[in-house]
Amino acid sequence: MANTAQIEVGSVVSLWRYPVKSMMGEELNAAEVTDRGLVGDRAYALRDPSNGKIVSAKNPRKWAKLFDFRAAFLEPPRAGAKIPPVRITLPNGEVVRSEQADLDKVLTLALGREVTFATAAPDAPSLEEYWPDMEGLAYRETVTDEAMPAGTFFDLAVVHVLTTATIDRLRELYPQGRFEVRRFRPNIVVQPASAERGFVENAWIGQTLVIGDQVRLNVTGPCPRCVMTTLPQGDLPRDPGILRTAAQHNQVNVGVYAAVVHGGTIHRGDRVRLA
């Protein structure tokens, strides 16, 4: 599509991938993008052998400790190649590798619940999601079983895009809350090109985002947030007000989901346009 048909909306200010689902991830300068999202994103997960479900901090009554674990690839993953192993830093600072024989035992001990390390997603993966008693949520004070896209460790879509304008707006609405990008676990963070304020990416739904020279994303819908955003991580405190603010002012959405129309490489600083 010719550039004359495109509207510049901003630039990429950060890129993130999460090698192991629900663990802390990696900030990147560049990333390859395929129809499965950023290469290496949610490549691995933990599995609960008691029920076969994928382990997720969406059920913090069981798995809140996952945010104390950090995962990073031993070498950069590449499109079309076997996904490399990861290094996992445990809450006590111990470092383990995904290929070591006693990994399941080590992770089970660290989490206090039995888990196995999953290198491939089942055909019909699912997870448990806890819904706090909070106005604006689909359910309240219950745990539901949530289906995931077949053969993946994603929740609903392969790419999550978030703007700095949305983070800034949430801060204005709830100044005592610490709204930081890492609470929301996006893949691509965009700084708007103009002084436009508010939840600007809501207007992108149904349109195509062009990032850099190659990548095109179809913005498929809003990204509904969950209890994970309220959990402590690093120096960020537990704060139910984070989710409550999103529920009260943007139908619990923070950012948008997207599908990949055309892959390629994206870099921090790349222009972002609407086509």
Side-chain angles (χ1 to χ4, degrees), residues 67-217:
F67 274 0
D68 296 327
F69 293 68
R70 183 172 299 277
F73 284 105
L74 294 174
E75 59 186 63
R78 304 192 183 283
K82 182 180 178 181
I83 295 293
V86 291
R87 176 179 62 252
I88 298 172
T89 304
L90 306 183
N92 65 2
E94 180 185 354
V95 177
V96 296
R97 295 163 65 115
S98 58
E99 73 267 46
Q100 68 185 61
D102 64 344
L103 179 66
D104 290 349
K105 181 179 179 181
V106 171
L107 294 176
T108 293
L109 184 63
L111 282 163
R113 302 183 71 98
E114 186 178 4
V115 294
T116 57
F117 189 79
T119 59
D123 291 336
S126 65
L127 55 78
E128 294 176 329
E129 180 167 0
Y130 167 69
W131 300 79
D133 187 7
M134 187 179 295
E135 186 176 353
L137 301 187
Y139 305 93
R140 295 173 70 168
E141 196 54 39
T142 189
V143 176
T144 58
D145 289 340
E146 301 294 322
M148 302 161 66
T152 80
F153 294 129
F154 292 102
D155 290 339
L156 292 172
V158 299
V159 178
H160 175 204
V161 182
L162 177 63
T163 67
T164 57
T166 283
I167 295 290
D168 290 342
R169 180 57 180 150
L170 291 168
R171 287 183 183 133
E172 291 174 354
L173 293 166
Y174 178 50
Q176 58 269 51
R178 288 184 58 188
F179 289 92
E180 297 187 18
V181 164
R182 52 189 164 139
R183 277 204 189 271
F184 302 100
R185 299 172 65 81
N187 296 117
I188 302 169
V189 181
V190 177
Q191 180 173 316
S194 68
E196 189 176 1
R197 302 166 68 86
F199 305 108
V200 301
E201 59 269 51
N202 290 354
W204 299 349
I205 295 171
Q207 301 191 66
T208 298
L209 278 184
V210 181
I211 303 178
D213 298 326
Q214 301 173 307
V215 172
R216 282 170 166 74
L217 306 177

Side-chain angles (χ1 to χ4, degrees), residues 42-58:
R42 278 83 170 187
Y44 302 114
L46 304 184
R47 180 179 170 275
D48 182 348
S50 71
N51 57 18
K53 296 189 183 301
I54 302 304
V55 168
S56 169
K58 284 177 177 285

Side-chain angles (χ1 to χ4, degrees), residues 1-6 216 275:
M1 186 174 291
N3 286 341
T4 54
Q6 298 176 358
R216 282 170 166 74

